[in-house]
Each structure stands twice: as structure tokens, then as C-alpha cells.
Amino acid sequence: MINFKEELNNEQFEAVTKGDGPVLVLAGAGSGKTRTLTYRVAYLVEQGVDPENILLVTFTNKASSEMLERVEKILNRYPRGIWGGTFHRIGNRLLRKYATLLGYKNNFTILDREDSMVLLKQCYDELANKNEKSNYFPKAKIIHNLIGFARNRGMDLKDLMGKSYDYLSSQEIDLAQSISEYYARKKKDSNAMDFDDLLINWLKLLTGHSKVREKFQEQFKYILVDEYQDTNVIQDKIINILAVKNKNILVVGDDSQSIYSFRAAEISNILDFPQNFPKTKIHKLETNYRSTPEILELANQSILNNENKYPKNLKSIKSENKKPLFVVGRDNREQAKFISQEISRLIDQGESPQEIAVLFRSAFQALELELELNREGIPYTMRGGIKFFEQKHIKDIVSYLKVLSNFKDETAWRRVLMLHEGIGLQTAGKIFSQIKNFNILEDAIKLLEFKGSEKINNSLKNVLSIFKELVEIKEDVIQSSVKIILKNGYNLYLKTNFENFLERADDLNQMGAFSENYKSVDDFLSEVALTEAFKNNRNQSNVVQVEDGEKDKIILSTIHQAKGLEWNTVFVIGLVDGQFPHRKVYEKHSEIEEERRLFYVAVTRAKDKLYLTYPMVSSRSEDMNEVSTFIEELDESLFEKKGRNEESFDDLPVIEYE
């Protein structure tokens, strides 16, 4: 017999043993939600529930297998027959049996993301080439992502595109819809489903076929769902249908950690759960095993201003420690120097590098820090994205600058030319073979004549006109160059090719501001080249455990990629209003609340030491930054403030945590 009372804390015990009926388990950060779920499964099996009557839904296959392994250890036997896995895995299992009811054969192919993209591209090429469209009609990759987002949100694609791409004509929006419909037919004709189809067809199976619906409503007497705050509309509907008969549904999640709306996650699923299931019992896991009391006190207050939430108050089991540090530096460069020095000090004192993480809202916020770490020889790995100067849009703009610096740079010329419509690899090579015959860029701009199609000639004319503007710049060359390139079509190029075009434009503007640290374009490009030499540090892994490539390296990560992870020491950097929270969120109340949840996630990653940093001015200018709303909302008694103040730009002193 398992002694549940002894092996669980009181909060976990209540959730595990009193989990019949509809139950919402609000599991705060570091409160042991996985332990609670696994013991709940073990409890059900020990109480005599047939494992085949248990449905355990997780968001990763790894999480599912780990939970079931833990259940096996608790029970001393494997719970054979349990339905455990991700929504997609379970959907596939059901559809393999009942696909014929939806017009598929049971041996249907599952298209992974790459395969589905290839098929969508075929549809795109066939239809888009036959229809009138502007040069800035979204590329196939964007259409693919928009189709997926709309389907998972239960939205109409045309409505979504009308909001996101308001510059498109009604004919172009109709074209996008036609591509989507053609793609759906192609999949069906090929007896294939993509990942979205596994969910949507599972829902169709339940809503359109009563015998199947009733069979699984009866079979799944107990339903458990992990990370419910991350479910989308389709997943929520599936669960609601399956649970309607027995109503033994237990969902675990934390509304304060709902940060994936851009992936179609819907926070209302967890917020409205008690309304969807009357008589819901709510259990709160508020005992935190991760962070110090001081960190948790700050975290608790950080989320108070959110209106749409369940009230929670995390309590630490750890003894009291030092308060978090709020560090004010003059600018991003000084911020980077402080962090680099502090990391070196911590490592010298015995902290493992892989137990130190620097978290940021957007990639550009880590730019100066990456450079500083490279200068100081501190190994690091990047999670959640490519290092700043390795990103495509950064390389694009840098290529323009390389041409300005070195007129004979063939690689840079090719990259610039191929950004423009109609110019491919071969054409770019032919154009450059003429360009290299000139002595200076100005002569090429004035005298170059290339015999190509009208489309190619117009594109080349645009390229040369951009360079004409660029060579006339006398001051703030890089910053002004970025603005000129964006203005002359690259902004639309970003919007056409990338979903996160706003963030990428921010990156470029930040790079322009950062360039003020350098006396010349050549100095700046030299820094970029030296930074690229550190590519071997890159690790874009998103797994929880430390990878071999991350040993003895500190972690740089977006906050989104840091969810579910923890480190002894955490730096949350760039706490500037307009950056974190992002300026776009003030347009919508729900978005500022999600940004606040993002801040909450960031600070709750820290176990022992938490640093919050704020650069007072932008680069070397005297334009003052406003401190993040999220810092302003905190009582100053919750942290120790170090560094500069508004009245003084004295040198930043050495700051020690102890």
C-alpha cells in the first residue's frame, strides 16, 4: 500500500485523493504539479480503476513517458492499458481505428511540419502563379503558419488575414483562402493528415459520429490533462465532449504562466473551467520547492495587477535569503559589462555556469551581452533562437553595409540583390560580373546597365536607388542606413516573409542604435565578423535537462523558451517600458496581462539569486528610457536597488550579491 499522506504535502494529498468530479488544480511555479498528476494516476489504479479507463493528456511525449515511468515506480508495476500521450498522439490512435468514417483510409500518412510545408508550397505555386497578386503577398511559409493558427483558434482565415495583412486586396485574401482549400483537398486526396488535422478530425469524429462519441465518453471514466492553460480551442472542445458523461475530469495548470497565445493557446480555457463544469472543486498548490521566500514575495506581487486570474500566494519551504537585486546601469553596454563581471564573480565563487541563466523578452536585448561575453571569453549557449548576428534579417542589412564598406564583396552583393523580386542566384552573379568592372560604388549606381526582364530591371533599379541614398549619408551611417533600407521595401519584405516581423524590425532598429558605439562602419563590421567566429557556442535546444553542449556554459534564453526550467541564478534584463512590456501590448488589455505573466514566469525561474536590470538611456544617446511598468508596480521593499540613479551617471560600482 502506498502511504499517500506521507509522500505528499497536504495540498497535493487533497488534490490526489479528492479528485473525483470536475477538479481544477492550480499548480503554482515549482509546486510539484508533475508529482501530483503521477500520484493521482497511481491513486486511481490502486483504488481499482482499470487503466484503460484513464486518459492522461500531456503536451509532450517526454512528459507522458516520464509520468508513466514514475507511476510504475510508485505502484511497482506498469499501468498497462492507460491512454497516455499528447493530444496529437491520442488523436492519431483513435483516427487509425475510425478514419474511414471521415473519408480516409486507416493507413493515412501523417505529414510532419516539413512535409506539410512542401505540399502547401506546391499548392501555393500552382495557384499564386495563376492569380493576380502584389509583390508583397505573403510567402508560402507565412500562409502555412496562418492556416495553422486560424484552424487552432477556430478562426476564419480570411478574417485573420484581413486583420494581420490589411494592405492586401480582397482578391489576395480570397487567393489565400483558395490556397488553404486546395491544400486541404490535396491532403485528403493523398490520404494524409498534418498535425492540425489530427486534432480537428478527432473533434469531427466526436461531434459527427454519436456511437464513437458515446463509446469514449463511457470508456474514459477519468480524464487528466496537464498544462491546461496552454490548450487551444480545439483541444478544449475535445476534452469537454469526452468528460461530459462521467465528469471525472482533473486539469492541472497555472493561469499565471499562460504565455503562448501566439501559438493559439487560449487562457479562457482554464479561467472558464468552473463555468463549463459546475461544482468544480479548486485545489491550489502554493507550496513552492524552488525559490527563496524573497523571490516568491516579489513574484506574488508582480502578478497582482492582472484582473483575469485566480488568486494564489506561493510560499517557499526554503530559509530566508538575500532580496532580489534591481540593478540600474547607464545603457545596454554598461548593463552587459555588469552582468559579465557578476557572472565571472559567481563562477569564481563556485557557481556552475549551467546554473546561471540570462533571460530576455526579445532577442535584440541580448546583443551587447553576447558581444561582452565573447570579449571576456565566457562560454554561453543560446536557447530559443539564433544568436543575434546569425539571424537572416540581420545578415541582410549587414550585407548592405558590407557593400558600402567593400564595393568588391561579391557575397554581400549577391545577398542584397537576391532580396529583390526576380533576381535569383544566376542573375545576381551576372549583375555582379558587371558591377565589379567599376572602380567605385558611385560609378556603378550611375552607369550600370543590365539587360534583363522588366521585373529584373525594376528590381535592380530599386537596389541602386537604395545605395544612392546610402552613400549620401554623412552621420550616423548605420542607424540611418537601417531606416533607409526599411523604408525602401525591406519592411514589407519582413512582413511578407516572417510572422514575427515586428520583433525583427525592432532588432534592426536596435542594431542601428547599438552601432553608435563604433567610430566607423568598418569597426562595426569587424565586431560582427569576430562575433560570428563564436558560432560553435550555439545550441538551440529547448529541452529541460542540461545538454552535453551546455555543460560549463551559461544559458541565454528568451523567456518563452525558459518556461518549465529553473536555475540557481537568473538575470532578467532589459526592463525598459516599450521593450518589456513590448510597446504593442498597450493596444489591448489582454496583451499587457500576458506580458505581466511573462515577467512572472521569468522571475519564478530563479532558485536562489535574482537580478533585474534596467539601462537608463538608449545606447550613447541621452534619450532616457522609462523603467518597465512591471518594476514600477513592485513595492521597493521587495528588492535591493544598486547602481546609478536619475541624478548621477557616476561609474557603476562593483555589486555583490552576498
Side-chain angles (χ1 to χ4, degrees):
M1 290 288 290
I2 305 163
N3 191 335
F4 291 93
K5 187 72 175 176
E6 192 169 299
E7 296 185 26
L8 301 167
N9 68 31
N10 290 335
E11 296 164 346
Q12 295 165 346
F13 179 78
E14 288 291 307
V16 166
T17 60
K18 298 179 181 177
D20 286 6
V23 175
L24 171 60
V25 179
L26 297 170
S31 63
K33 72 173 179 66
T34 301
R35 185 175 185 83
T36 303
L37 268 175
T38 53
Y39 270 85
R40 175 62 182 167
V41 174
Y43 180 82
L44 290 172
V45 175
E46 192 175 77
Q47 294 298 305
V49 177
D50 188 332
E52 289 199 357
N53 295 140
I54 301 172
L55 174 65
L56 173 63
V57 188
T58 60
F59 266 76
T60 66
N61 289 315
K62 185 174 180 297
S64 175
S65 60
E66 284 184 352
M67 284 188 194
L68 293 176
E69 285 172 10
R70 291 191 192 186
V71 172
E72 182 179 13
K73 287 180 181 178
I74 297 167
L75 294 170
N76 288 318
R77 68 182 191 279
Y78 189 79
R80 194 169 304 280
I82 193 170
W83 287 63
T86 64
F87 277 97
H88 296 92
R89 182 173 287 275
I90 294 166
N92 173 58
R93 183 176 173 180
L94 288 172
L95 290 165
R96 288 294 172 192
K97 190 173 182 179
Y98 298 103
T100 54
L101 296 177
L102 300 175
Y104 293 86
K105 295 178 181 177
N106 291 337
N107 66 339
F108 62 84
T109 300
I110 298 176
L111 302 175
D112 62 21
R113 184 168 178 81
E114 184 179 347
D115 291 338
S116 69
M117 183 65 236
V118 169
L119 183 60
L120 189 282
K121 181 70 164 57
Q122 292 173 5
C123 300
Y124 181 98
D125 290 343
E126 287 183 41
L127 293 185
N129 290 333
K130 296 177 183 177
N131 288 269
E132 287 289 326
K133 63 179 177 57
S134 68
N135 295 340
Y136 298 106
F137 184 74
K139 295 293 190 291
K141 177 179 69 175
I142 300 297
I143 296 294
H144 183 260
N145 291 337
L146 288 169
I147 290 171
F149 185 86
R151 297 182 79 197
N152 283 293
R153 265 287 173 91
M155 295 176 65
D156 182 78
L157 178 63
K158 293 171 71 172
D159 289 343
L160 176 62
M161 292 201 64
K163 293 174 183 176
S164 303
Y165 294 83
D166 54 4
Y167 63 86
L168 295 176
S169 67
S170 59
Q171 290 83 0
E172 288 175 310
I173 291 175
D174 287 341
L175 172 59
Q177 180 67 34
S178 297
I179 293 170
S180 176
E181 292 168 356
Y182 189 31
Y183 171 61
R185 290 198 301 275
K186 280 267 195 182
K187 286 186 293 179
K188 193 73 173 288
D189 292 343
S190 303
N191 192 38
M193 299 187 198
D194 61 20
F195 288 151
D196 296 334
D197 290 322
L198 294 175
L199 299 183
I200 291 167
N201 286 333
W202 182 5
L203 181 60
K204 285 181 179 177
L205 194 62
L206 294 176
T207 56
H209 300 273
S210 58
K211 289 184 178 179
V212 177
R213 179 175 66 249
E214 290 165 6
K215 171 181 167 58
F216 288 102
Q217 286 174 338
E218 176 64 32
Q219 178 169 342
F220 296 139
K221 291 181 168 53
Y222 289 89
I223 299 172
L224 302 92
V225 187
D226 192 17
E227 303 285 7
Y228 207 70
Q229 78 282 348
D230 294 334
T231 55
N232 61 37
V233 171
I234 307 299
Q235 292 162 336
D236 183 64
K237 286 180 178 178
I238 289 169
I239 293 301
N240 275 262
I241 291 171
L242 290 174
V244 74
K245 178 177 173 63
N246 294 297
K247 294 184 174 60
N248 289 319
I249 175 170
L250 182 147
V251 302
V252 179
D254 184 3
D255 54 294
S256 296
Q257 297 188 69
S258 178
I259 59 174
Y260 294 126
S261 64
F262 65 94
R263 295 181 186 169
E266 182 55 72
I267 191 174
S268 63
N269 293 347
I270 191 168
L271 293 176
D272 295 342
F273 185 85
Q275 285 71 52
N276 295 333
F277 289 92
K279 299 181 180 180
T280 290
K281 292 176 288 190
I282 298 178
H283 295 278
K284 296 181 182 180
L285 306 184
E286 297 176 305
T287 303
N288 178 284
Y289 294 88
R290 176 186 299 158
S291 307
T292 65
E294 292 78 14
I295 291 171
L296 291 185
E297 194 176 356
L298 186 148
N300 287 331
Q301 192 177 105
S302 73
I303 203 69
L304 286 180
N305 282 320
N306 271 15
E307 295 174 8
N308 297 304
K309 69 177 187 303
Y310 292 102
K312 292 184 292 293
N313 187 46
L314 297 183
K315 301 176 289 292
S316 177
I317 65 163
K318 291 186 173 183
S319 55
E320 292 185 357
N321 204 330
K322 298 289 185 179
K323 292 181 181 180
L325 282 182
F326 176 50
V327 182
V328 181
R330 186 188 191 283
D331 52 23
N332 289 326
R333 200 164 196 179
E334 190 170 84
Q335 174 184 252
K337 282 182 177 287
F338 162 72
I339 294 169
S340 176
Q341 291 170 7
E342 190 68 359
I343 287 171
S344 293
R345 187 185 70 82
L346 289 167
I347 292 172
D348 288 344
Q349 291 184 348
E351 183 76 281
S352 297
Q354 62 262 29
E355 282 292 343
I356 302 172
V358 182
L359 308 182
F360 37 86
R361 170 64 176 82
S362 303
F364 71 78
Q365 294 178 304
L367 167 57
E368 278 89 349
L369 180 59
E370 283 192 56
L371 297 174
E372 190 64 32
L373 293 172
N374 284 332
R375 291 190 195 103
E376 296 300 317
I378 299 174
Y380 69 95
T381 187
M382 179 71 76
R383 291 188 177 210
I386 303 171
K387 292 181 179 181
F388 190 85
F389 284 113
E390 296 175 25
Q391 299 177 92
K392 183 184 184 306
H393 58 297
I394 301 297
K395 283 181 165 291
D396 288 345
I397 303 306
V398 166
S399 292
Y400 278 97
L401 300 176
K402 285 180 176 179
V403 170
L404 287 178
S405 175
N406 175 16
F407 172 59
K408 300 291 186 179
D409 189 330
E410 181 177 357
T411 304
W413 265 112
R414 284 177 180 265
R415 188 175 189 113
V416 167
L417 290 165
M418 289 168 62
L419 289 171
H420 296 263
E421 192 179 18
I423 302 178
L425 186 62
Q426 287 188 338
T427 303
K430 291 176 182 177
I431 294 172
F432 180 76
S433 67
Q434 293 189 20
I435 288 173
K436 68 181 182 182
N437 294 323
F438 295 97
N439 294 318
I440 58 174
L441 178 58
E442 286 86 342
D443 286 348
I445 293 169
K446 292 177 186 176
L447 303 173
L448 178 65
E449 292 184 5
F450 184 79
K451 293 182 180 179
S453 67
E454 184 180 358
K455 182 185 289 184
I456 291 171
N457 289 338
N458 286 336
S459 290
L460 181 57
K461 185 178 177 182
N462 185 39
V463 173
L464 296 175
S465 70
I466 292 171
F467 277 116
K468 185 175 185 299
E469 284 192 65
L470 296 180
V471 297
E472 293 172 354
I473 301 169
K474 304 300 180 189
E475 296 180 357
D476 300 326
V477 176
I478 299 173
Q479 194 164 20
S480 299
S481 295
V482 169
K483 291 178 180 175
I484 289 169
I485 297 165
L486 285 169
K487 177 187 72 176
N488 283 281
Y490 198 77
N491 236 332
L492 276 173
Y493 176 85
L494 289 176
K495 198 163 191 177
T496 305
N497 288 275
F498 304 104
E499 282 185 294
N500 61 338
F501 53 86
L502 286 175
E503 286 82 358
R504 291 177 185 260
D506 281 344
D507 288 349
L508 294 173
N509 288 320
Q510 182 66 20
M511 185 183 77
F514 164 75
S515 69
E516 295 179 8
N517 293 311
Y518 298 90
K519 293 178 181 178
S520 68
V521 174
D522 288 345
D523 286 348
F524 173 75
L525 292 174
S526 295
E527 184 74 78
V528 173
L530 290 170
T531 300
E532 288 183 336
F534 289 84
K535 287 181 180 180
N536 63 329
N537 286 336
R538 189 173 83 190
N539 182 335
Q540 297 179 48
S541 176
N542 179 24
V543 294
V544 172
Q545 75 271 25
V546 175
E547 296 287 305
D548 289 339
E550 294 184 350
K551 289 178 180 176
D552 300 321
K553 295 178 182 179
I554 69 163
I555 310 298
L556 271 57
S557 176
T558 62
I559 301 168
H560 284 101
Q561 288 291 322
K563 185 175 176 290
L565 308 180
E566 59 183 41
W567 295 272
N568 288 342
T569 301
V570 170
F571 295 81
V572 184
I573 69 172
L575 288 163
V576 172
D577 223 38
Q579 295 181 14
F580 191 17
H582 195 280
R583 66 178 185 279
K584 67 180 182 181
V585 304
Y586 290 108
E587 301 169 8
K588 209 171 173 182
H589 182 68
S590 62
E591 290 183 353
I592 185 68
E593 292 212 341
E594 180 157 336
E595 289 282 295
R596 192 174 285 111
R597 294 194 294 269
L598 194 62
F599 179 71
Y600 175 87
V601 167
V603 300
T604 54
R605 299 312 92 196
K607 292 193 281 188
D608 298 316
K609 301 180 182 71
L610 174 64
Y611 298 79
L612 309 169
T613 70
Y614 159 61
M616 293 178 64
V617 301
S618 301
S619 192
R620 285 186 175 176
S621 75
E622 297 302 314
D623 295 335
M624 295 291 295
N625 291 323
E626 290 188 22
V627 68
S628 171
T629 299
F630 304 143
I631 296 296
E632 293 280 13
E633 290 173 351
L634 296 174
D635 191 303
E636 289 192 0
S637 66
L638 296 174
F639 53 79
E640 186 178 351
K641 187 174 180 180
K642 297 285 188 178
R644 298 181 182 270
N645 58 56
E646 287 75 5
E647 289 76 40
S648 172
F649 280 155
D650 295 335
D651 289 340
L652 190 71
V654 175
I655 302 169
E656 296 188 356
Y657 203 94
E658 272 74 38

